[in-house]
């Protein structure tokens, strides 16, 4: 059977799909990956067929407007102007991305399609042939409502009352469905036998679209009001340590500092990487917290004259390093949050955008770390208070180890495979 995995975004958006691609390939499926062109080498090295989305989407996030939105900087008015500019810049690009999704279906004729939220054309195609399509996401609080948390678009603010939490989903998703017509309206004619409008899209998303949330039920238990079409299956990790060989310097450093932490902002960037790095690393040194700093995509920079207790790397597999550490200070992406939780790490999140504020609250609620400070208003004194709590609070370490044991039992290897192949099955 031929399965197409389609995802659009940064590494955090791609990894959940690669984790499933690995399982499907090992089960004998022909795997095709439709990802941004920047991931071609990663995918082809794994032996999967690759179709490249236009490079422009990720390149757009590296512009000044993109960095301001992703990592803070400027007042609310400037933030709004940058959102508008980015939206205008993305208009023509979106039509290119939609056409590429359409072409992938027509050219490759996959038996099953597992797609990401940003792959909008597949929502329409799924309405015509729902058994072929599965929506996969590592982020809750988007389509299906929760009384405990508002829509993820309001994640930066504290939760409202249960009533207004529920209303927030109608507000955000209503606006999203109306905007979908701007991009997808001319493609409605591809599906002449299907009635497509905001009302039918809403009903389909909520009740009939096979939706698989690859998140831990220990972090986010499945709400009782969700339909049978929405499943929470646990978080899946791809083995990234197969080819990794640590340097002798890193191994020597780890032996010298048996209690250490990892600082990483993953694929996030921001407008003040040098300033933010200096603030954070100086506080780590002040409180004698040995730290591996993952500079990665540019959200963090190397600080001159750092102590030997600070070790810089450009990339490091989380599943190799986290089992050896006390904790992790990070941006709060779903994948990194789950990696930290699965490996028993105390966590402190420095949220940048959208769902990262949600995971920040989840970590605090589960008492595996303090509530972190947003990158948008990184205040040294507030950060220092949270950092000391992160490093010294024994409750966090105890709860992190307990949570790790639970998470390791959740994600069954065949669950998503079976749901994709048998979309009408109610069992997980």
């Amino acid at each position: 059977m031929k399965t197409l995995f389609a995802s659009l975004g940064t590494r955090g958006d791609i990894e959940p799909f690669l984790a499933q691609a690995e399982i499907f390939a090992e089960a004998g499926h022909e795997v095709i990956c439709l990802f941004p062109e920047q991931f071609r080498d990663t995918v082809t090295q794994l032996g999967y067929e690759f179709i490249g989305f236009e490079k422009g989407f990720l390149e757009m996030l590296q512009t000044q407007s993109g960095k301001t939105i992703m990592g803070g900087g400027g007042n609310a008015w400037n933030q709004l102007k940058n959102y508008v500019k980015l939206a205008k810049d993305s208009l023509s690009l979106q039509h290119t991305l939609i056409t590429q999704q359409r072409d992938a279906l027509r050219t490759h004729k996959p038996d099953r399609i597992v797609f990401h939220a940003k792959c909008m054309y597949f929502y329409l195609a799924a309405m015509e042939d729902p058994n072929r399509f599965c929506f996969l996401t590592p982020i809750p609080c988007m389509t299906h409502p929760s009384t405990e948390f508002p829509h993820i678009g309001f994640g930066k603010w504290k939760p409202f009352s249960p009533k207004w939490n529920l209303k927030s989903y109608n507000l955000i998703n209503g606006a999203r469905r109306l905007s979908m017509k701007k991009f997808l309206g001319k493609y409605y004619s591809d599906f002449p036998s299907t009635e497509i409008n905001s009302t039918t899209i809403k009903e389909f998303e909520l009740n009939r679209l096979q939706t698989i949330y690859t998140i831990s039920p220990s972090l986010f238990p499945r709400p009782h009001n969700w339909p049978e079409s929405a499943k929470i299956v646990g978080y899946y990790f791809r083995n990234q340590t197969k080819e990794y060989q640590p340097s002798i310097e890193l191994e020597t450093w780890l032996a010298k500092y048996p209690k250490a932490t990892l600082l990483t902002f993953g694929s996030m960037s921001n407008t003040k990487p040098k300033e933010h790095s200096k603030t954070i690393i100086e506080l780590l040194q002040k409180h004698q917290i040995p730290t591996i700093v993952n500079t990665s995509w540019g959200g963090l920079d190397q600080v001159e004259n750092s102590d030997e207790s600070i070790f810089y790397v450009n990339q490091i597999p989380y599943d190799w390093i986290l089992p050896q550490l006390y904790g992790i200070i990070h941006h709060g992406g779903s994948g990194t949050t789950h990696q930290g939780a699965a490996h028993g790490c105390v966590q402190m999140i420095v949220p940048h955008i959208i769902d990262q504020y949600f995971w920040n609250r989840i970590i605090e609620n589960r008492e595996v770390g303090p509530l972190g400070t947003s990158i948008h208003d990184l205040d040294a004194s507030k950060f220092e208070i949270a950092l000391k709590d992160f490093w010294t609070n024994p409750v966090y370490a105890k709860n992190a180890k307990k949570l790790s044991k639970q998470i390791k039992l959740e994600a069954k290897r065949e669950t998503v495979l079976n749901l994709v192949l048998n979309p009408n099955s109610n069992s997980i």
Side-chain angles (χ1 to χ4, degrees):
M1 184 171 286
K2 185 188 298 184
T3 303
L4 173 68
F5 292 92
S7 184
L8 187 57
T10 59
R11 183 165 292 278
D13 299 289
I14 303 302
E15 281 297 333
F17 289 80
L18 283 178
Q20 294 304 325
E22 182 177 77
I23 294 171
F24 277 64
E26 290 178 358
H29 289 251
E30 181 182 347
V31 168
I32 306 171
C33 294
L34 174 58
F35 299 157
E37 182 63 33
Q38 288 89 336
F39 293 94
R40 178 177 292 275
D41 288 346
T42 299
V43 172
T44 54
Q45 286 172 12
L46 293 171
Y48 311 141
E49 185 173 351
F50 181 82
I51 311 169
F53 271 128
E54 163 64 41
K55 279 186 174 183
F57 181 80
L58 288 188
E59 289 176 345
M60 189 169 56
L61 297 182
Q62 294 302 314
T63 64
Q64 190 64 24
S65 297
K67 287 184 177 182
T68 300
I69 290 170
M70 296 282 276
N75 55 34
W77 173 244
N78 286 333
Q79 284 279 323
L80 178 60
K81 287 195 296 184
N82 281 296
Y83 272 115
V84 171
K85 185 178 187 306
L86 209 63
K88 288 181 177 178
D89 292 344
S90 71
L91 283 175
S92 61
L93 178 60
Q94 279 291 353
H95 287 298
T96 299
L97 299 174
I98 290 168
T99 300
Q100 289 181 298
Q101 295 165 51
R102 184 191 196 203
D103 291 346
L105 287 184
R106 294 183 172 190
T107 302
H108 295 271
K109 297 180 173 55
D111 301 291
R112 293 289 188 271
I113 300 92
V114 181
F115 70 97
H116 182 273
K118 296 189 188 82
C119 297
M120 292 190 292
Y121 184 80
F122 293 143
Y123 283 99
L124 304 186
M127 291 179 72
E128 183 181 65
D129 192 1
N131 286 346
R132 284 179 70 202
F133 291 81
C134 177
F135 173 46
L136 185 142
T137 177
I139 303 172
C141 300
M142 292 198 304
T143 304
H144 299 99
S146 162
T147 58
E148 186 179 1
F149 294 99
H151 188 280
I152 206 76
F154 289 105
K156 192 172 182 179
W157 292 274
K158 291 182 179 179
F160 312 127
S161 68
K163 174 183 175 181
W164 284 101
N165 283 338
L166 291 175
K167 284 182 177 293
S168 71
Y169 291 84
N170 288 330
L171 178 64
I172 296 291
N173 287 326
R176 176 178 60 83
R177 291 173 189 125
L178 286 173
S179 70
M180 285 175 71
K181 185 173 183 179
K182 184 181 188 71
F183 298 108
L184 295 170
K186 71 176 186 178
Y187 300 100
Y188 287 3
S189 58
D190 287 354
F191 312 100
S193 62
T194 303
E195 181 182 2
I196 302 174
N197 54 52
S198 294
T199 300
T200 58
I201 292 174
K202 177 182 178 179
E203 191 280 328
F204 178 70
E205 283 186 324
L206 281 174
N207 301 309
R208 293 190 293 123
L209 175 61
Q210 174 89 297
T211 304
I212 299 177
Y213 291 92
T214 54
I215 57 179
S216 164
S218 296
L219 290 176
F220 183 80
R222 185 179 185 277
H224 63 85
N225 60 322
W226 279 13
E228 278 298 322
S229 58
K231 307 285 198 301
I232 290 180
V233 298
Y235 196 89
Y236 288 75
F237 303 101
R238 183 169 64 93
N239 183 356
Q240 299 185 50
T241 64
K242 294 176 182 176
E243 307 298 330
Y244 180 70
Q245 289 294 327
S247 67
I248 295 174
E249 291 80 8
L250 177 56
E251 292 185 319
T252 302
W253 188 92
L254 286 167
K256 184 173 182 178
Y257 297 104
K259 181 184 178 183
T261 192
L262 174 69
L263 170 62
T264 179
F265 287 166
S267 299
M268 294 293 101
S269 59
N270 63 77
T271 55
K272 301 177 181 178
K274 292 185 182 296
E275 181 180 324
H276 293 326
S277 299
K278 188 172 186 293
T279 297
I280 295 171
I281 290 171
E282 285 183 351
L283 287 172
L284 289 165
Q285 292 176 157
K286 176 181 177 181
H287 293 282
Q288 299 181 324
I289 303 175
T291 304
I292 297 169
V293 179
N294 180 30
T295 54
S296 190
W297 281 37
L300 292 163
D301 274 357
Q302 187 164 339
V303 175
E304 291 184 8
N305 302 316
S306 301
D307 293 347
E308 68 167 19
S309 63
I310 305 299
F311 192 98
Y312 293 95
V313 296
N314 183 46
Q315 279 289 358
I316 192 166
Y318 292 167
D319 50 350
W320 182 85
I321 189 60
L322 291 183
Q324 305 179 65
L325 300 179
Y326 163 82
I328 177 172
I329 301 168
H330 62 103
H331 56 293
S334 178
T336 310
T337 302
H338 279 89
Q339 284 273 13
H343 295 299
C345 290
V346 177
Q347 300 190 49
M348 184 169 129
I349 291 175
V350 183
H352 290 54
I353 57 171
I354 313 174
D355 66 304
Q356 297 166 8
Y357 293 93
F358 167 82
W359 294 115
N360 192 22
R361 297 190 188 284
I362 290 291
I363 290 302
E364 181 196 29
N365 291 350
R366 301 296 178 265
E367 295 186 281
V368 292
L371 188 70
T373 305
S374 169
I375 196 73
H376 289 251
D377 50 2
L378 189 65
D379 179 89
S381 59
K382 291 180 180 178
F383 185 89
E384 184 173 15
I385 292 170
L387 181 64
K388 288 192 291 186
D389 189 27
F390 160 84
W391 189 243
T392 61
N393 193 328
V395 173
Y396 298 151
K398 179 181 178 181
N399 289 339
K401 298 303 179 188
K402 181 180 178 181
L403 179 62
S404 172
K405 294 177 181 177
Q406 296 171 351
I407 286 180
K408 287 176 179 176
L409 299 175
E410 292 171 350
K412 309 299 184 187
R413 191 162 181 82
E414 303 297 316
T415 296
V416 176
L417 179 66
N418 290 335
L419 287 172
V420 171
L421 298 184
N422 305 290
N424 296 315
S425 172
N426 288 327
S427 61
I428 61 172

